[in-house]
Amino acid sequence: MESVESTAQVRAWFTGRLPEDWFTGAPEIVRDREEIAVIGTLPEPSGETPEEERAALVEGLVLRFREETRERRIEIAREAERRFRQKVSWGVSCGEQTVMFTTLSVPVMTRLRQSERQVLDTLVAAGVARSRSDALAWCVRLVGRHTDTWLADLRDALSHVDRVRSSGPDVQN
């Protein structure tokens, strides 16, 4: 069952609930029907770090944050899951890197015509994917990567629809 709270209300709840010293600002909230992803930005590494060491430094910062905050994140996630009736996943951004700690993998069923199945079968035969399911997930990731701007515009439009819908009258059936 989907929660009645808007994504803005969920973001506000997490912003108020999370310790102030965890992130450099309010967390990014990415939400769908099954999951709320909370992605916070860690402070950039301080000092002059040679480029060849930077990736290792960021990896260490991310791992330290993950370990040091694990118990509190679990506690906050449980509260949010009860309140919003959705699973919570966590991730962080540091520099150019975003790392998700936990995410749901949700099965999705679809019907495909023969020509569409042949695309998936070609990806399997070529070793790009292990199964049709993996091939379909690969296709979705590929499309998502190459249509970021279009998908972002579509998501912005949907958030506007949500705002207008939430400001309308409360209709009970």
Side-chain angles (χ1 to χ4, degrees):
M1 174 179 233
E2 192 169 325
S3 174
V4 295
E5 273 98 351
S6 70
T7 300
Q9 290 169 316
V10 171
R11 181 179 303 105
W13 184 87
F14 274 101
T15 300
R17 180 63 181 88
L18 295 174
E20 289 181 11
D21 62 338
W22 277 12
F23 305 127
T24 60
E28 176 185 2
I29 302 296
V30 180
R31 188 176 183 204
D32 64 14
R33 287 183 281 183
E34 292 84 19
E35 179 179 24
I36 299 169
V38 180
I39 306 163
T41 301
L42 298 178
E44 289 277 340
S46 57
E48 294 296 317
T49 305
E51 193 61 36
E52 62 273 4
E53 296 174 18
R54 185 168 176 74
L57 177 59
V58 168
E59 181 182 352
L61 291 170
V62 168
L63 288 173
R64 182 177 68 198
F65 175 84
R66 184 177 187 181
E67 291 303 317
E68 289 178 357
T69 63
R70 183 181 313 272
E71 289 183 30
R72 289 287 304 278
R73 285 186 295 108
I74 290 170
E75 173 188 323
I76 293 167
R78 285 183 179 144
E79 289 175 28
E81 287 168 3
R82 280 191 301 272
R83 178 181 178 116
F84 303 117
R85 296 183 297 274
Q86 289 180 278
K87 288 293 190 185
V88 174
S89 62
W90 296 92
V92 293
S93 292
C94 188
E96 299 297 314
Q97 186 176 5
T98 298
V99 178
M100 294 303 296
F101 302 151
T102 55
T103 57
L104 292 179
S105 181
V106 178
V108 177
M109 301 297 289
T110 187
R111 295 183 186 279
L112 299 176
R113 298 191 186 284
Q114 185 178 34
S115 63
E116 296 161 334
R117 293 190 310 269
Q118 288 173 338
V119 170
L120 300 181
D121 292 341
T122 301
L123 293 171
V124 172
V128 172
R130 293 175 303 204
S131 65
R132 283 180 172 176
S133 177
D134 286 344
L136 187 56
W138 183 87
C139 291
V140 169
R141 286 191 299 272
L142 183 66
V143 169
R145 215 179 350 240
H146 292 290
T147 58
D148 283 341
T149 303
W150 182 80
L151 288 173
D153 290 346
L154 188 58
R155 288 182 185 116
D156 286 344
L158 289 171
S159 69
H160 179 71
V161 169
D162 286 343
R163 282 193 303 275
V164 170
R165 198 179 282 148
S166 68
S167 67
D170 186 20
V171 179
Q172 299 291 327
N173 290 337

